[in-house]
Amino acid sequence: MNDKENYMAIAKTEEFTKTDTWLADIAKALSHPARIRILKILTEMNVCMCGDIVELLPLSQSTVSQHLKELKRVGLIKGEIEGPKVCYCVNDETLQKAKKELDKLFSLVCSC
Amino acid sequence: MNDKENYMAIAKTEEFTKTDTWLADIAKALSHPARIRILKILTEMNVCMCGDIVELLPLSQSTVSQHLKELKRVGLIKGEIEGPKVCYCVNDETLQKAKKELDKLFSLVCSC
DNA sequence: TTAATTTATCGTATATTTACGATGAACGAT
DNA sequence: ATCGTTCATCGTAAATATACGATAAATTAA
């Protein structure tokens, strides 16, 4: 009888499958419109720098930097250092994997 | 010059497109492994009641109820009252719309 | 009517998220 | 060597998310 049961707000992610946890994490990264917008900006517009993205969003530089960090955390984007600048781009590998897992989920739970 | 600029932690979701905001909200609902698991349970297992789901998850009844509420909020599931019970089921319509929008996003941002 | 069942909600605690300005670190240019 | 540019990080504040037990509400069964 230890105290491990006595806690709050700690997600019991260990209790779920790796895939479900991973997919939930990807979904979390996509759970803010700014981050969805950033993914689109990185592919549609011909920009990659944080500063360029800041100009296209109604958010401060530090906030955009945080969103980029979150997208990078789950591997949806990559950042390549170019002197004082950083060139961000989408990570096709992770995006493909995410698409695959989402397709798997939707084919299970809906008539898609 | 009003004070509207002086705030914290308020997502400027008005500044984004309706679609991006909606998709981000769907992603938010999918951003916890328990909720992904619940969607699967509602389709794979032959159960629909909150109590049944509770038995299949390492979470308390009140917590599961909250997760169901979140899924219901964005319309990914529906709840039909059957006496003191509630029979939950996935909402195919919303799921299809979500799948469509996600496909659109992925076709834009990755070679999928 | 009372008891049992089922679920939502309340109250509470903690962690995380979102946002900003300020600052620091890294690099290129002068 | 200094200055400007770019970005990440720090510090901070408020909102939201996650979790639980306890309780209330609703309905069925006895």
Side-chain angles (χ1 to χ4, degrees):
Chain A
M1 300 303 119
N2 56 31
D3 288 342
K4 294 284 170 58
E5 308 299 290
N6 189 15
Y7 58 82
M8 314 262 165
I10 298 172
K12 292 181 172 172
T13 47
E14 334 76 54
E15 312 272 8
F16 300 99
T17 70
K18 227 166 193 173
T19 302
D20 284 353
T21 303
W22 183 81
L23 195 53
D25 212 28
I26 291 292
K28 186 154 73 86
L30 296 175
S31 72
H32 194 293
R35 293 196 287 267
I36 290 184
R37 194 83 201 85
I38 287 172
L39 289 180
K40 289 183 179 174
I41 286 170
L42 288 179
T43 47
E44 286 182 327
M45 323 292 280
N46 207 19
V47 302
C48 72
M49 281 170 38
C50 177
D52 297 331
I53 299 167
V54 170
E55 288 183 4
L56 295 168
L57 292 179
L59 298 169
S60 73
Q61 183 269 322
S62 59
T63 302
V64 170
S65 187
Q66 274 185 35
H67 284 307
L68 288 167
K69 191 181 179 183
E70 170 68 6
L71 287 169
K72 204 173 155 191
R73 181 184 66 83
V74 298
L76 285 175
I77 64 171
K78 289 182 282 193
E80 196 180 331
I81 295 169
E82 287 187 0
K85 311 176 188 178
V86 178
C87 185
Y88 285 102
C89 62
V90 293
N91 187 347
D92 213 64
E93 201 179 344
T94 308
L95 282 165
Q96 283 191 32
K97 193 179 162 198
K99 166 91 167 108
K100 206 185 82 184
E101 288 301 335
L102 281 169
D103 281 350
K104 215 185 283 183
L105 172 65
F106 278 91
S107 70
L108 270 178
V109 302
C110 107
S111 62
C112 300
Chain B
M1 297 302 118
N2 56 32
D3 289 340
K4 294 284 171 54
E5 308 298 291
N6 189 16
Y7 59 84
M8 313 261 164
I10 298 171
K12 292 181 174 173
T13 47
E14 336 78 53
E15 311 273 8
F16 299 99
T17 70
K18 228 166 192 171
T19 302
D20 283 353
T21 303
W22 182 80
L23 194 53
D25 211 28
I26 291 292
K28 186 154 74 88
L30 296 174
S31 72
H32 195 293
R35 293 195 288 266
I36 290 183
R37 194 81 200 87
I38 288 173
L39 288 179
K40 290 182 180 174
I41 286 171
L42 288 179
T43 47
E44 287 181 328
M45 323 292 279
N46 207 19
V47 302
C48 71
M49 281 170 37
C50 177
D52 297 332
I53 299 167
V54 170
E55 286 182 5
L56 296 168
L57 293 179
L59 297 170
S60 73
Q61 183 269 322
S62 58
T63 302
V64 171
S65 187
Q66 275 185 37
H67 284 307
L68 288 167
K69 190 181 179 184
E70 170 68 6
L71 287 170
K72 204 173 155 191
R73 180 184 66 82
V74 298
L76 285 175
I77 65 171
K78 288 183 283 194
E80 196 180 331
I81 295 169
E82 287 186 0
K85 312 176 187 176
V86 177
C87 185
Y88 286 101
C89 64
V90 294
N91 186 347
D92 213 63
E93 200 179 346
T94 308
L95 282 164
Q96 282 190 32
K97 193 179 162 199
K99 165 91 166 104
K100 206 186 82 182
E101 287 302 334
L102 280 169
D103 281 350
K104 214 185 283 183
L105 173 65
F106 277 92
S107 71
L108 270 179
V109 303
C110 106
S111 60
C112 298

